[in-house]
Amino acid sequence: MIPRYSRPRMLAIWSPETKFRIWFEIEAHACDALAELGIIPKEAAKTIWEKGLAAKFNVKRIDEIESVAKHDVIAFLTHLAEFVGPEARFIHQGMTSSDVLDTALNIQLMRASDILLDDIDKLLATLKKRACEHKNTITIGRSHGIHAEPTTFGIKLALAYAEFARCRKRLENARIEISTCAISGAVGTFANIDPRVEEHVAKALGMQPEPVSTQIIPRDRHAMFFATLGVIASSMERLVVEIRHLQRTEVLEAEEYFSPGQKGSSAMPHKRNPVLTENLTGLARMVRSYAMPAMENVALWHERDISHSSVERYISPDATITLDFALNRLTDIIEKLLIYPDNMLKNLDRFHGLVHSQRVLLALTQAGMNRENAYRLVQHNAMKAWEQGKDFLKELLEDKDIRKVLSEEEIRERFDLGYHTKHVDTIFRRIFGE
């Protein structure tokens, strides 16, 4: 992952040093279990822990060994033995490389999930704060990009809150699904290692034993994990696309914070571009793109192959690091988002009350008029406002056919903006509770 879109906390999870430390812990916990079962000496397990914890794994040295051995786990075990000494012969008893690799990968994904869950919590708190701030800030709702009926900006943000709350639940479930451990040996039969070793290692690392692991942990778990990250990215993009639209010059109902000294264009000094939300649109595409290769990793040959390995070396750090960065950027955007209620009202009334057409239609039908005739009359007057810039309310008041059914007071009452916000409290209670 490139440094531009990386944050140190998440980046550290995927460092070689962290990976090798996890590998050591898996091996050492397995030695503890083997010692309890009487398969290796307890003193050997103790020595392995003491010397391994004191060791500073040399990534360059491991790479040198791997360049000859052409095997990453063997290179690590060889380097570990340089620290541990003679007791190293008891390490990796009955295990296979995938026991270490797959369990370690899942630990890294669990830790990454914890950071992402924290990111979502911060985003949810910010969305809730801004939603409550603009709970009754009236704006126009749009369908197909066209003015529909009034809503509030708070409802827009409450919608995003509810969506990311669902994302959080999905990620919690994905974390549970990925939290499995495999210490089952070659082809997963436990022929050379007792299943109790796996149970011990899983418990020590806060995981669950994989029910059946062949020689690897089944990749449908990982496919669901990366698909979940893709859905979170899609929800993120939905929100930032909304902001990008609202920042358009002819709309300008909200915009990204423009800091002192910031420049929008090398050519045009007046520019204030939605660069952060555009950036998140691009990053969302990247996170989603990792879901497909994760799904393709599910179909492996027989008990194992390593066609998934190269893929996961890319997508595991890249997807989690990118999403971590993106969620934090989104939280900052929402926190500092500039919101313009006056422009919202100006845009809402751009066609002189046209957005109240449904209320007039319903009033006519409730007063006894055939719906088709009512629709025809309201649309006829609406098109005058749309095409000729006429005042919709005035045209209705002057329409003799409509006035036969509705009084002036009854028509004017249908133009009350408050009518559209009467259930905002209900919506907010559904999302945020009392």
Side-chain angles (χ1 to χ4, degrees), residues 9-11 13-14 22 104-120 171 175 178 225-226 229 316-317 319-321 323-324 327:
R9 186 180 172 198
M10 183 67 85
L11 200 61
I13 290 173
W14 301 104
I22 294 171
L105 173 60
N106 282 4
I107 290 171
Q108 289 174 296
L109 293 176
M110 289 164 60
R111 293 179 183 179
S113 297
D114 292 337
I115 293 176
L116 293 173
L117 287 167
D118 183 58
D119 293 340
I120 294 175
L171 184 55
R175 187 194 186 281
I178 210 69
F225 180 85
F226 288 102
L229 300 192
S316 301
T320 53
I321 291 170
L323 189 57
D324 170 52
L327 286 170

PDB file of all heavy atoms in Angstrom, residues 9-11 13-14 22 104-120 171 175 178 225-226 229 316-317 319-321 323-324 327:
ATOM      1  N   ARG A   9      -1.216   2.885  12.527  1.00  0.00           N
ATOM      2  CA  ARG A   9      -1.747   1.803  13.363  1.00  0.00           C
ATOM      3  C   ARG A   9      -2.119   0.582  12.538  1.00  0.00           C
ATOM      4  O   ARG A   9      -1.803  -0.560  12.892  1.00  0.00           O
ATOM      5  CB  ARG A   9      -2.950   2.322  14.140  1.00  0.00           C
ATOM      6  CG  ARG A   9      -3.515   1.339  15.156  1.00  0.00           C
ATOM      7  CD  ARG A   9      -4.702   1.968  15.855  1.00  0.00           C
ATOM      8  NE  ARG A   9      -5.405   1.010  16.699  1.00  0.00           N
ATOM      9  CZ  ARG A   9      -6.650   1.187  17.141  1.00  0.00           C
ATOM     10  NH1 ARG A   9      -7.315   2.276  16.826  1.00  0.00           N
ATOM     11  NH2 ARG A   9      -7.212   0.279  17.895  1.00  0.00           N
ATOM     12  N   MET A  10      -2.802   0.817  11.417  1.00  0.00           N
ATOM     13  CA  MET A  10      -3.192  -0.293  10.553  1.00  0.00           C
ATOM     14  C   MET A  10      -1.974  -0.835   9.808  1.00  0.00           C
ATOM     15  O   MET A  10      -1.829  -2.046   9.614  1.00  0.00           O
ATOM     16  CB  MET A  10      -4.266   0.138   9.562  1.00  0.00           C
ATOM     17  CG  MET A  10      -4.782  -0.970   8.661  1.00  0.00           C
ATOM     18  SD  MET A  10      -5.707  -2.265   9.535  1.00  0.00           S
ATOM     19  CE  MET A  10      -7.350  -1.538   9.568  1.00  0.00           C
ATOM     20  N   LEU A  11      -1.105   0.052   9.393  1.00  0.00           N
ATOM     21  CA  LEU A  11       0.084  -0.356   8.646  1.00  0.00           C
ATOM     22  C   LEU A  11       0.938  -1.316   9.470  1.00  0.00           C
ATOM     23  O   LEU A  11       1.500  -2.286   8.942  1.00  0.00           O
ATOM     24  CB  LEU A  11       0.900   0.887   8.279  1.00  0.00           C
ATOM     25  CG  LEU A  11       1.900   0.776   7.133  1.00  0.00           C
ATOM     26  CD1 LEU A  11       1.208   0.417   5.829  1.00  0.00           C
ATOM     27  CD2 LEU A  11       2.672   2.081   6.983  1.00  0.00           C
ATOM     28  N   ILE A  13       0.085  -3.586  11.520  1.00  0.00           N
ATOM     29  CA  ILE A  13      -0.440  -4.960  11.542  1.00  0.00           C
ATOM     30  C   ILE A  13       0.176  -5.798  10.430  1.00  0.00           C
ATOM     31  O   ILE A  13       0.399  -7.003  10.591  1.00  0.00           O
ATOM     32  CB  ILE A  13      -1.977  -4.946  11.417  1.00  0.00           C
ATOM     33  CG1 ILE A  13      -2.598  -4.393  12.699  1.00  0.00           C
ATOM     34  CG2 ILE A  13      -2.533  -6.332  11.110  1.00  0.00           C
ATOM     35  CD1 ILE A  13      -4.095  -4.190  12.621  1.00  0.00           C
ATOM     36  N   TRP A  14       0.476  -5.147   9.304  1.00  0.00           N
ATOM     37  CA  TRP A  14       0.933  -5.874   8.123  1.00  0.00           C
ATOM     38  C   TRP A  14       2.450  -5.802   7.927  1.00  0.00           C
ATOM     39  O   TRP A  14       2.958  -6.219   6.883  1.00  0.00           O
ATOM     40  CB  TRP A  14       0.210  -5.347   6.888  1.00  0.00           C
ATOM     41  CG  TRP A  14      -1.270  -5.512   7.038  1.00  0.00           C
ATOM     42  CD1 TRP A  14      -2.182  -4.549   7.315  1.00  0.00           C
ATOM     43  CD2 TRP A  14      -1.999  -6.752   6.976  1.00  0.00           C
ATOM     44  NE1 TRP A  14      -3.445  -5.094   7.426  1.00  0.00           N
ATOM     45  CE2 TRP A  14      -3.358  -6.442   7.217  1.00  0.00           C
ATOM     46  CE3 TRP A  14      -1.634  -8.079   6.727  1.00  0.00           C
ATOM     47  CZ2 TRP A  14      -4.349  -7.419   7.228  1.00  0.00           C
ATOM     48  CZ3 TRP A  14      -2.611  -9.048   6.736  1.00  0.00           C
ATOM     49  CH2 TRP A  14      -3.957  -8.710   6.977  1.00  0.00           C
ATOM     50  N   ILE A  22       3.750 -12.894  15.295  1.00  0.00           N
ATOM     51  CA  ILE A  22       2.549 -13.735  15.383  1.00  0.00           C
ATOM     52  C   ILE A  22       2.911 -15.189  15.082  1.00  0.00           C
ATOM     53  O   ILE A  22       2.445 -16.106  15.770  1.00  0.00           O
ATOM     54  CB  ILE A  22       1.457 -13.226  14.414  1.00  0.00           C
ATOM     55  CG1 ILE A  22       0.964 -11.841  14.839  1.00  0.00           C
ATOM     56  CG2 ILE A  22       0.279 -14.207  14.376  1.00  0.00           C
ATOM     57  CD1 ILE A  22       0.044 -11.186  13.822  1.00  0.00           C
ATOM     58  N   ALA A 104      -2.146 -17.105  11.336  1.00  0.00           N
ATOM     59  CA  ALA A 104      -1.580 -15.760  11.458  1.00  0.00           C
ATOM     60  C   ALA A 104      -2.356 -14.751  10.621  1.00  0.00           C
ATOM     61  O   ALA A 104      -2.628 -13.632  11.078  1.00  0.00           O
ATOM     62  CB  ALA A 104      -0.115 -15.771  11.038  1.00  0.00           C
ATOM     63  N   LEU A 105      -2.706 -15.135   9.396  1.00  0.00           N
ATOM     64  CA  LEU A 105      -3.480 -14.230   8.550  1.00  0.00           C
ATOM     65  C   LEU A 105      -4.791 -13.859   9.221  1.00  0.00           C
ATOM     66  O   LEU A 105      -5.198 -12.686   9.238  1.00  0.00           O
ATOM     67  CB  LEU A 105      -3.750 -14.877   7.188  1.00  0.00           C
ATOM     68  CG  LEU A 105      -4.693 -14.093   6.256  1.00  0.00           C
ATOM     69  CD1 LEU A 105      -4.123 -12.714   5.935  1.00  0.00           C
ATOM     70  CD2 LEU A 105      -4.964 -14.878   4.970  1.00  0.00           C
ATOM     71  N   ASN A 106      -5.458 -14.847   9.803  1.00  0.00           N
ATOM     72  CA  ASN A 106      -6.730 -14.553  10.453  1.00  0.00           C
ATOM     73  C   ASN A 106      -6.554 -13.654  11.677  1.00  0.00           C
ATOM     74  O   ASN A 106      -7.405 -12.813  11.959  1.00  0.00           O
ATOM     75  CB  ASN A 106      -7.441 -15.850  10.826  1.00  0.00           C
ATOM     76  CG  ASN A 106      -8.116 -16.488   9.628  1.00  0.00           C
ATOM     77  OD1 ASN A 106      -7.985 -16.002   8.505  1.00  0.00           O
ATOM     78  ND2 ASN A 106      -8.843 -17.571   9.854  1.00  0.00           N
ATOM     79  N   ILE A 107      -5.453 -13.826  12.378  1.00  0.00           N
ATOM     80  CA  ILE A 107      -5.173 -12.920  13.502  1.00  0.00           C
ATOM     81  C   ILE A 107      -4.991 -11.495  12.995  1.00  0.00           C
ATOM     82  O   ILE A 107      -5.523 -10.528  13.578  1.00  0.00           O
ATOM     83  CB  ILE A 107      -3.915 -13.389  14.272  1.00  0.00           C
ATOM     84  CG1 ILE A 107      -4.211 -14.687  15.023  1.00  0.00           C
ATOM     85  CG2 ILE A 107      -3.449 -12.309  15.245  1.00  0.00           C
ATOM     86  CD1 ILE A 107      -2.978 -15.331  15.635  1.00  0.00           C
ATOM     87  N   GLN A 108      -4.272 -11.347  11.911  1.00  0.00           N
ATOM     88  CA  GLN A 108      -4.080 -10.010  11.340  1.00  0.00           C
ATOM     89  C   GLN A 108      -5.406  -9.406  10.882  1.00  0.00           C
ATOM     90  O   GLN A 108      -5.665  -8.219  11.096  1.00  0.00           O
ATOM     91  CB  GLN A 108      -3.091 -10.082  10.172  1.00  0.00           C
ATOM     92  CG  GLN A 108      -1.655 -10.357  10.612  1.00  0.00           C
ATOM     93  CD  GLN A 108      -0.731 -10.576   9.430  1.00  0.00           C
ATOM     94  OE1 GLN A 108      -0.890 -11.532   8.672  1.00  0.00           O
ATOM     95  NE2 GLN A 108       0.251  -9.696   9.270  1.00  0.00           N
ATOM     96  N   LEU A 109      -6.257 -10.225  10.276  1.00  0.00           N
ATOM     97  CA  LEU A 109      -7.565  -9.732   9.838  1.00  0.00           C
ATOM     98  C   LEU A 109      -8.447  -9.385  11.034  1.00  0.00           C
ATOM     99  O   LEU A 109      -9.231  -8.424  10.982  1.00  0.00           O
ATOM    100  CB  LEU A 109      -8.245 -10.766   8.946  1.00  0.00           C
ATOM    101  CG  LEU A 109      -7.590 -11.017   7.590  1.00  0.00           C
ATOM    102  CD1 LEU A 109      -8.301 -12.132   6.837  1.00  0.00           C
ATOM    103  CD2 LEU A 109      -7.557  -9.735   6.744  1.00  0.00           C
ATOM    104  N   MET A 110      -8.341 -10.149  12.116  1.00  0.00           N
ATOM    105  CA  MET A 110      -9.082  -9.818  13.339  1.00  0.00           C
ATOM    106  C   MET A 110      -8.633  -8.469  13.888  1.00  0.00           C
ATOM    107  O   MET A 110      -9.469  -7.626  14.252  1.00  0.00           O
ATOM    108  CB  MET A 110      -8.862 -10.912  14.388  1.00  0.00           C
ATOM    109  CG  MET A 110      -9.549 -12.232  14.083  1.00  0.00           C
ATOM    110  SD  MET A 110      -8.871 -13.598  15.087  1.00  0.00           S
ATOM    111  CE  MET A 110      -9.198 -13.022  16.755  1.00  0.00           C
ATOM    112  N   ARG A 111      -7.333  -8.276  13.966  1.00  0.00           N
ATOM    113  CA  ARG A 111      -6.816  -7.004  14.472  1.00  0.00           C
ATOM    114  C   ARG A 111      -7.206  -5.844  13.554  1.00  0.00           C
ATOM    115  O   ARG A 111      -7.540  -4.745  14.029  1.00  0.00           O
ATOM    116  CB  ARG A 111      -5.293  -7.078  14.614  1.00  0.00           C
ATOM    117  CG  ARG A 111      -4.830  -8.051  15.690  1.00  0.00           C
ATOM    118  CD  ARG A 111      -3.313  -8.096  15.777  1.00  0.00           C
ATOM    119  NE  ARG A 111      -2.862  -9.086  16.752  1.00  0.00           N
ATOM    120  CZ  ARG A 111      -1.584  -9.351  17.014  1.00  0.00           C
ATOM    121  NH1 ARG A 111      -0.615  -8.704  16.351  1.00  0.00           N
ATOM    122  NH2 ARG A 111      -1.251 -10.263  17.922  1.00  0.00           N
ATOM    123  N   ALA A 112      -7.148  -6.080  12.255  1.00  0.00           N
ATOM    124  CA  ALA A 112      -7.571  -5.049  11.306  1.00  0.00           C
ATOM    125  C   ALA A 112      -9.051  -4.735  11.485  1.00  0.00           C
ATOM    126  O   ALA A 112      -9.462  -3.569  11.438  1.00  0.00           O
ATOM    127  CB  ALA A 112      -7.291  -5.508   9.881  1.00  0.00           C
ATOM    128  N   SER A 113      -9.843  -5.769  11.734  1.00  0.00           N
ATOM    129  CA  SER A 113     -11.282  -5.571  11.958  1.00  0.00           C
ATOM    130  C   SER A 113     -11.530  -4.687  13.169  1.00  0.00           C
ATOM    131  O   SER A 113     -12.423  -3.828  13.150  1.00  0.00           O
ATOM    132  CB  SER A 113     -11.979  -6.922  12.162  1.00  0.00           C
ATOM    133  OG  SER A 113     -11.886  -7.731  11.018  1.00  0.00           O
ATOM    134  N   ASP A 114     -10.754  -4.894  14.222  1.00  0.00           N
ATOM    135  CA  ASP A 114     -10.930  -4.093  15.433  1.00  0.00           C
ATOM    136  C   ASP A 114     -10.686  -2.613  15.153  1.00  0.00           C
ATOM    137  O   ASP A 114     -11.407  -1.739  15.657  1.00  0.00           O
ATOM    138  CB  ASP A 114      -9.996  -4.585  16.537  1.00  0.00           C
ATOM    139  CG  ASP A 114     -10.387  -5.965  17.049  1.00  0.00           C
ATOM    140  OD1 ASP A 114     -11.563  -6.348  16.891  1.00  0.00           O
ATOM    141  OD2 ASP A 114      -9.504  -6.660  17.591  1.00  0.00           O
ATOM    142  N   ILE A 115      -9.688  -2.324  14.344  1.00  0.00           N
ATOM    143  CA  ILE A 115      -9.421  -0.930  13.971  1.00  0.00           C
ATOM    144  C   ILE A 115     -10.561  -0.383  13.116  1.00  0.00           C
ATOM    145  O   ILE A 115     -11.042   0.740  13.324  1.00  0.00           O
ATOM    146  CB  ILE A 115      -8.085  -0.816  13.227  1.00  0.00           C
ATOM    147  CG1 ILE A 115      -6.925  -1.141  14.186  1.00  0.00           C
ATOM    148  CG2 ILE A 115      -7.900   0.583  12.629  1.00  0.00           C
ATOM    149  CD1 ILE A 115      -5.558  -1.154  13.523  1.00  0.00           C
ATOM    150  N   LEU A 116     -11.024  -1.180  12.155  1.00  0.00           N
ATOM    151  CA  LEU A 116     -12.105  -0.730  11.275  1.00  0.00           C
ATOM    152  C   LEU A 116     -13.396  -0.524  12.050  1.00  0.00           C
ATOM    153  O   LEU A 116     -14.157   0.416  11.780  1.00  0.00           O
ATOM    154  CB  LEU A 116     -12.319  -1.741  10.148  1.00  0.00           C
ATOM    155  CG  LEU A 116     -11.163  -1.854   9.141  1.00  0.00           C
ATOM    156  CD1 LEU A 116     -11.414  -3.000   8.161  1.00  0.00           C
ATOM    157  CD2 LEU A 116     -10.969  -0.542   8.374  1.00  0.00           C
ATOM    158  N   LEU A 117     -13.665  -1.374  13.024  1.00  0.00           N
ATOM    159  CA  LEU A 117     -14.853  -1.197  13.863  1.00  0.00           C
ATOM    160  C   LEU A 117     -14.750   0.100  14.659  1.00  0.00           C
ATOM    161  O   LEU A 117     -15.744   0.835  14.812  1.00  0.00           O
ATOM    162  CB  LEU A 117     -15.023  -2.389  14.806  1.00  0.00           C
ATOM    163  CG  LEU A 117     -15.498  -3.680  14.142  1.00  0.00           C
ATOM    164  CD1 LEU A 117     -15.324  -4.862  15.084  1.00  0.00           C
ATOM    165  CD2 LEU A 117     -16.959  -3.575  13.696  1.00  0.00           C
ATOM    166  N   ASP A 118     -13.577   0.395  15.147  1.00  0.00           N
ATOM    167  CA  ASP A 118     -13.356   1.662  15.853  1.00  0.00           C
ATOM    168  C   ASP A 118     -13.547   2.842  14.899  1.00  0.00           C
ATOM    169  O   ASP A 118     -14.137   3.869  15.273  1.00  0.00           O
ATOM    170  CB  ASP A 118     -11.954   1.672  16.455  1.00  0.00           C
ATOM    171  CG  ASP A 118     -11.676   2.925  17.274  1.00  0.00           C
ATOM    172  OD1 ASP A 118     -12.425   3.185  18.236  1.00  0.00           O
ATOM    173  OD2 ASP A 118     -10.713   3.654  16.950  1.00  0.00           O
ATOM    174  N   ASP A 119     -13.058   2.696  13.671  1.00  0.00           N
ATOM    175  CA  ASP A 119     -13.250   3.751  12.656  1.00  0.00           C
ATOM    176  C   ASP A 119     -14.736   4.010  12.427  1.00  0.00           C
ATOM    177  O   ASP A 119     -15.182   5.169  12.349  1.00  0.00           O
ATOM    178  CB  ASP A 119     -12.615   3.337  11.321  1.00  0.00           C
ATOM    179  CG  ASP A 119     -11.102   3.242  11.387  1.00  0.00           C
ATOM    180  OD1 ASP A 119     -10.510   3.834  12.303  1.00  0.00           O
ATOM    181  OD2 ASP A 119     -10.528   2.562  10.512  1.00  0.00           O
ATOM    182  N   ILE A 120     -15.509   2.939  12.289  1.00  0.00           N
ATOM    183  CA  ILE A 120     -16.943   3.085  12.037  1.00  0.00           C
ATOM    184  C   ILE A 120     -17.630   3.730  13.231  1.00  0.00           C
ATOM    185  O   ILE A 120     -18.541   4.555  13.073  1.00  0.00           O
ATOM    186  CB  ILE A 120     -17.577   1.728  11.685  1.00  0.00           C
ATOM    187  CG1 ILE A 120     -17.019   1.215  10.352  1.00  0.00           C
ATOM    188  CG2 ILE A 120     -19.100   1.838  11.606  1.00  0.00           C
ATOM    189  CD1 ILE A 120     -17.494  -0.176   9.962  1.00  0.00           C
ATOM    190  N   LEU A 171     -19.591  -6.225   9.700  1.00  0.00           N
ATOM    191  CA  LEU A 171     -18.161  -6.394   9.979  1.00  0.00           C
ATOM    192  C   LEU A 171     -17.953  -7.196  11.261  1.00  0.00           C
ATOM    193  O   LEU A 171     -17.021  -8.005  11.343  1.00  0.00           O
ATOM    194  CB  LEU A 171     -17.474  -5.031  10.073  1.00  0.00           C
ATOM    195  CG  LEU A 171     -15.952  -5.063  10.258  1.00  0.00           C
ATOM    196  CD1 LEU A 171     -15.275  -5.885   9.165  1.00  0.00           C
ATOM    197  CD2 LEU A 171     -15.381  -3.641  10.294  1.00  0.00           C
ATOM    198  N   ARG A 175     -15.857 -10.569  11.282  1.00  0.00           N
ATOM    199  CA  ARG A 175     -14.736 -10.791  12.204  1.00  0.00           C
ATOM    200  C   ARG A 175     -14.893 -12.139  12.910  1.00  0.00           C
ATOM    201  O   ARG A 175     -13.918 -12.881  13.077  1.00  0.00           O
ATOM    202  CB  ARG A 175     -14.658  -9.676  13.243  1.00  0.00           C
ATOM    203  CG  ARG A 175     -13.411  -9.771  14.125  1.00  0.00           C
ATOM    204  CD  ARG A 175     -13.521  -8.881  15.349  1.00  0.00           C
ATOM    205  NE  ARG A 175     -12.277  -8.865  16.110  1.00  0.00           N
ATOM    206  CZ  ARG A 175     -11.876  -9.813  16.945  1.00  0.00           C
ATOM    207  NH1 ARG A 175     -12.630 -10.901  17.135  1.00  0.00           N
ATOM    208  NH2 ARG A 175     -10.735  -9.704  17.617  1.00  0.00           N
ATOM    209  N   ILE A 178     -14.032 -14.934  10.523  1.00  0.00           N
ATOM    210  CA  ILE A 178     -12.617 -15.054  10.160  1.00  0.00           C
ATOM    211  C   ILE A 178     -11.760 -15.476  11.351  1.00  0.00           C
ATOM    212  O   ILE A 178     -10.556 -15.752  11.191  1.00  0.00           O
ATOM    213  CB  ILE A 178     -12.104 -13.703   9.584  1.00  0.00           C
ATOM    214  CG1 ILE A 178     -10.981 -13.934   8.567  1.00  0.00           C
ATOM    215  CG2 ILE A 178     -11.654 -12.748  10.681  1.00  0.00           C
ATOM    216  CD1 ILE A 178     -11.445 -14.576   7.303  1.00  0.00           C
ATOM    217  N   PHE A 225     -15.403 -11.981   4.231  1.00  0.00           N
ATOM    218  CA  PHE A 225     -14.746 -10.852   4.901  1.00  0.00           C
ATOM    219  C   PHE A 225     -14.489  -9.713   3.913  1.00  0.00           C
ATOM    220  O   PHE A 225     -14.858  -8.554   4.162  1.00  0.00           O
ATOM    221  CB  PHE A 225     -13.430 -11.310   5.533  1.00  0.00           C
ATOM    222  CG  PHE A 225     -12.696 -10.211   6.249  1.00  0.00           C
ATOM    223  CD1 PHE A 225     -13.003  -9.902   7.565  1.00  0.00           C
ATOM    224  CD2 PHE A 225     -11.701  -9.484   5.611  1.00  0.00           C
ATOM    225  CE1 PHE A 225     -12.337  -8.879   8.229  1.00  0.00           C
ATOM    226  CE2 PHE A 225     -11.030  -8.464   6.269  1.00  0.00           C
ATOM    227  CZ  PHE A 225     -11.345  -8.165   7.581  1.00  0.00           C
ATOM    228  N   PHE A 226     -13.874 -10.035   2.777  1.00  0.00           N
ATOM    229  CA  PHE A 226     -13.537  -8.977   1.817  1.00  0.00           C
ATOM    230  C   PHE A 226     -14.777  -8.446   1.111  1.00  0.00           C
ATOM    231  O   PHE A 226     -14.821  -7.273   0.729  1.00  0.00           O
ATOM    232  CB  PHE A 226     -12.496  -9.478   0.820  1.00  0.00           C
ATOM    233  CG  PHE A 226     -11.132  -9.630   1.436  1.00  0.00           C
ATOM    234  CD1 PHE A 226     -10.643 -10.884   1.793  1.00  0.00           C
ATOM    235  CD2 PHE A 226     -10.352  -8.520   1.695  1.00  0.00           C
ATOM    236  CE1 PHE A 226      -9.403 -11.033   2.385  1.00  0.00           C
ATOM    237  CE2 PHE A 226      -9.100  -8.655   2.300  1.00  0.00           C
ATOM    238  CZ  PHE A 226      -8.628  -9.907   2.645  1.00  0.00           C
ATOM    239  N   LEU A 229     -16.032  -5.802   3.403  1.00  0.00           N
ATOM    240  CA  LEU A 229     -15.289  -4.552   3.230  1.00  0.00           C
ATOM    241  C   LEU A 229     -15.764  -3.816   1.975  1.00  0.00           C
ATOM    242  O   LEU A 229     -15.852  -2.585   1.959  1.00  0.00           O
ATOM    243  CB  LEU A 229     -13.789  -4.837   3.135  1.00  0.00           C
ATOM    244  CG  LEU A 229     -13.108  -5.522   4.322  1.00  0.00           C
ATOM    245  CD1 LEU A 229     -11.586  -5.442   4.161  1.00  0.00           C
ATOM    246  CD2 LEU A 229     -13.543  -4.942   5.649  1.00  0.00           C
ATOM    247  N   SER A 316      -5.011  -8.410   1.401  1.00  0.00           N
ATOM    248  CA  SER A 316      -5.228  -8.308   2.846  1.00  0.00           C
ATOM    249  C   SER A 316      -4.740  -6.978   3.400  1.00  0.00           C
ATOM    250  O   SER A 316      -5.509  -6.254   4.055  1.00  0.00           O
ATOM    251  CB  SER A 316      -4.566  -9.479   3.568  1.00  0.00           C
ATOM    252  OG  SER A 316      -5.095 -10.701   3.110  1.00  0.00           O
ATOM    253  N   PRO A 317      -3.478  -6.607   3.172  1.00  0.00           N
ATOM    254  CA  PRO A 317      -3.059  -5.282   3.641  1.00  0.00           C
ATOM    255  C   PRO A 317      -3.722  -4.144   2.885  1.00  0.00           C
ATOM    256  O   PRO A 317      -4.175  -3.169   3.496  1.00  0.00           O
ATOM    257  CB  PRO A 317      -1.539  -5.282   3.428  1.00  0.00           C
ATOM    258  CG  PRO A 317      -1.275  -6.351   2.432  1.00  0.00           C
ATOM    259  CD  PRO A 317      -2.358  -7.368   2.597  1.00  0.00           C
ATOM    260  N   ALA A 319      -6.618  -3.810   1.208  1.00  0.00           N
ATOM    261  CA  ALA A 319      -8.031  -3.552   1.469  1.00  0.00           C
ATOM    262  C   ALA A 319      -8.239  -2.933   2.846  1.00  0.00           C
ATOM    263  O   ALA A 319      -8.992  -1.968   3.003  1.00  0.00           O
ATOM    264  CB  ALA A 319      -8.834  -4.843   1.344  1.00  0.00           C
ATOM    265  N   THR A 320      -7.590  -3.482   3.860  1.00  0.00           N
ATOM    266  CA  THR A 320      -7.803  -2.989   5.218  1.00  0.00           C
ATOM    267  C   THR A 320      -7.145  -1.627   5.432  1.00  0.00           C
ATOM    268  O   THR A 320      -7.724  -0.739   6.070  1.00  0.00           O
ATOM    269  CB  THR A 320      -7.266  -3.999   6.245  1.00  0.00           C
ATOM    270  OG1 THR A 320      -5.902  -4.321   5.952  1.00  0.00           O
ATOM    271  CG2 THR A 320      -8.101  -5.279   6.221  1.00  0.00           C
ATOM    272  N   ILE A 321      -5.937  -1.448   4.903  1.00  0.00           N
ATOM    273  CA  ILE A 321      -5.250  -0.158   5.039  1.00  0.00           C
ATOM    274  C   ILE A 321      -6.018   0.935   4.314  1.00  0.00           C
ATOM    275  O   ILE A 321      -6.205   2.046   4.833  1.00  0.00           O
ATOM    276  CB  ILE A 321      -3.803  -0.256   4.516  1.00  0.00           C
ATOM    277  CG1 ILE A 321      -2.963  -1.131   5.454  1.00  0.00           C
ATOM    278  CG2 ILE A 321      -3.173   1.123   4.384  1.00  0.00           C
ATOM    279  CD1 ILE A 321      -1.596  -1.488   4.902  1.00  0.00           C
ATOM    280  N   LEU A 323      -9.277   1.012   3.459  1.00  0.00           N
ATOM    281  CA  LEU A 323     -10.558   1.300   4.085  1.00  0.00           C
ATOM    282  C   LEU A 323     -10.381   2.058   5.392  1.00  0.00           C
ATOM    283  O   LEU A 323     -11.175   2.955   5.718  1.00  0.00           O
ATOM    284  CB  LEU A 323     -11.350   0.008   4.314  1.00  0.00           C
ATOM    285  CG  LEU A 323     -12.797   0.184   4.777  1.00  0.00           C
ATOM    286  CD1 LEU A 323     -13.591   1.041   3.800  1.00  0.00           C
ATOM    287  CD2 LEU A 323     -13.475  -1.174   4.952  1.00  0.00           C
ATOM    288  N   ASP A 324      -9.361   1.722   6.145  1.00  0.00           N
ATOM    289  CA  ASP A 324      -9.066   2.450   7.384  1.00  0.00           C
ATOM    290  C   ASP A 324      -8.822   3.929   7.082  1.00  0.00           C
ATOM    291  O   ASP A 324      -9.399   4.817   7.730  1.00  0.00           O
ATOM    292  CB  ASP A 324      -7.839   1.822   8.047  1.00  0.00           C
ATOM    293  CG  ASP A 324      -7.295   2.647   9.206  1.00  0.00           C
ATOM    294  OD1 ASP A 324      -8.081   2.993  10.104  1.00  0.00           O
ATOM    295  OD2 ASP A 324      -6.085   2.935   9.212  1.00  0.00           O
ATOM    296  N   LEU A 327     -12.242   5.614   5.818  1.00  0.00           N
ATOM    297  CA  LEU A 327     -13.252   5.866   6.858  1.00  0.00           C
ATOM    298  C   LEU A 327     -12.854   7.054   7.726  1.00  0.00           C
ATOM    299  O   LEU A 327     -13.706   7.868   8.116  1.00  0.00           O
ATOM    300  CB  LEU A 327     -13.439   4.613   7.714  1.00  0.00           C
ATOM    301  CG  LEU A 327     -14.198   3.463   7.055  1.00  0.00           C
ATOM    302  CD1 LEU A 327     -14.095   2.197   7.899  1.00  0.00           C
ATOM    303  CD2 LEU A 327     -15.664   3.819   6.811  1.00  0.00           C
TER     304      LEU A 327
END
